[in-house]
Amino acid sequence: DAGVTQSPTHLIKTRGQQVTLRCSPKSGHDTVSWYQQALGQGPQFIFQYYEEEERQRGNFPDRFSGHQFPNYSSELNVNALLLGDSALYLCASSLVYGGAFLHFGNGTRLTVT
Amino acid sequence: GESVGLHLPTLSVQEGDNSIINCAYSNSASDYFIWYKQESGKGPQFIIDIRSNMDKRQGQRVTVLLNKTVKHLSLQIAATQPGDSAVYFCAEIWSGANSKLTFGKGITLSVRP
């Protein structure tokens, strides 16, 4: 039973570029959440998707957007990259009625130069 | 704003000793708390959780204590092993947030052989 998988594992982009990160949830899970983890910090909630709609959003600008597909997989898009967007981006999946029991992927390390 | 914080950034313990990691939270409405372990290059891994109607919960070698009066959470690891070396995060949720975790900054546990 595959857990949460994310791709790519590492990515280097230049300021101003756009990036797309991908996530496949754990089998049987229907809800995907994205978190940003800066170096030495705890993860910060970006947004959550369920039934292909954004259900909740954290304190992140509109440059951060996402999508969920009918197979429950998800993408995180970041436009107009800033140096401060360099971080580990974590995807977590859950059952919407499973509450807070999240399964995390190993993340995508994004470096913006 | 509401936040979850940790008292100490690092903790070094001797192999075989017991470890205690402390966490303070500020949102009195939080009713569910989780401890995560994050090893280098990996996503957070669930360790143990506790609901606000409990003050203690035990797992395998781990115990979580919750003191709602002083808004304090602790994780006790018995007979600490080298494999316990990692960054530990406490996280909180209040019921209305539905999987929107608020993480603290993390504490690094280093186990000396």
Side-chain angles (χ1 to χ4, degrees), chain A residues 13-14 16-20 76-81:
Chain A
K13 290 286 189 178
T14 304
Q17 287 188 316
Q18 178 265 345
V19 68
T20 298
L76 164 65
N77 301 293
V78 187
N79 294 323
L81 284 167

Side-chain angles (χ1 to χ4, degrees), chain B residues 11-17 80 82 85 110-113:
Chain B
L11 176 65
S12 180
V13 299
Q14 190 72 37
E15 180 179 356
D17 287 351
T80 312
S85 294
S110 176
V111 181
R112 302 188 303 274

Side-chain angles (χ1 to χ4, degrees), chain A residues 33 35 37 40-45 48 56-58 88 90 94 96 99-102 104-106, chain B residues 32 34 36 38 41-46 49 89 93 96-106:
Chain A
S33 302
Y35 288 79
Q37 186 176 23
Q41 303 291 317
Q44 299 292 313
F45 176 77
Q48 180 186 71
Q56 293 190 81
R57 190 178 183 92
L88 180 68
L90 295 163
S94 62
V96 67
F101 204 92
L102 301 181
F104 283 87
N106 289 331
Chain B
Y32 184 53
I34 306 170
Y36 283 92
Q38 187 173 23
K42 296 187 177 181
Q45 178 185 5
F46 172 92
D49 59 355
F89 295 96
I93 294 184
N98 191 22
S99 304
K100 180 183 174 182
L101 288 170
T102 299
F103 284 82
K105 288 187 178 181

Side-chain angles (χ1 to χ4, degrees), chain A residues 2-103:
Chain A
V4 178
T5 57
Q6 294 186 242
S7 63
T9 55
H10 295 83
L11 201 53
I12 300 175
K13 290 286 189 178
T14 304
R15 248 182 329 180
Q17 287 188 316
Q18 178 265 345
V19 68
T20 298
L21 310 181
R22 295 176 176 81
C23 172
S24 292
K26 178 179 171 65
S27 178
H29 286 183
D30 56 10
T31 303
V32 173
S33 302
W34 287 92
Y35 288 79
Q36 181 195 65
Q37 186 176 23
L39 198 61
Q41 303 291 317
Q44 299 292 313
F45 176 77
I46 303 175
F47 42 54
Q48 180 186 71
Y49 277 83
Y50 171 67
E51 291 187 333
E52 303 179 48
E53 291 187 7
E54 184 182 294
R55 298 293 179 166
Q56 293 190 81
R57 190 178 183 92
N59 188 26
F60 280 81
D62 292 344
R63 297 187 298 108
F64 289 76
S65 63
H67 190 77
Q68 185 180 34
F69 299 93
N71 67 352
Y72 308 121
S73 67
S74 177
E75 289 181 349
L76 164 65
N77 301 293
V78 187
N79 294 323
L81 284 167
L82 303 174
L83 296 179
D85 294 332
S86 296
L88 180 68
Y89 288 85
L90 295 163
C91 173
S93 71
S94 62
L95 288 171
V96 67
Y97 295 112
F101 204 92
L102 301 181
H103 291 255

Side-chain angles (χ1 to χ4, degrees), chain B residues 31-95:
Chain B
D31 55 7
Y32 184 53
F33 305 87
I34 306 170
W35 281 100
Y36 283 92
K37 172 186 180 182
Q38 187 173 23
E39 297 174 285
S40 180
K42 296 187 177 181
Q45 178 185 5
F46 172 92
I47 301 173
I48 192 168
D49 59 355
I50 189 167
R51 296 199 176 276
S52 58
N53 61 352
M54 303 171 68
D55 53 19
K56 180 179 180 179
R57 190 165 189 219
Q58 289 184 296
Q60 186 178 11
R61 283 203 306 119
V62 294
T63 300
V64 55
L65 299 177
L66 175 63
N67 186 331
K68 296 180 289 295
T69 302
V70 295
K71 298 178 186 173
H72 183 268
L73 195 67
S74 69
L75 176 70
Q76 299 177 0
I77 304 174
T80 312
Q81 302 169 359
D84 295 326
S85 294
V87 178
Y88 289 80
F89 295 96
C90 64
E92 64 175 324
I93 294 184
W94 87 95
S95 297

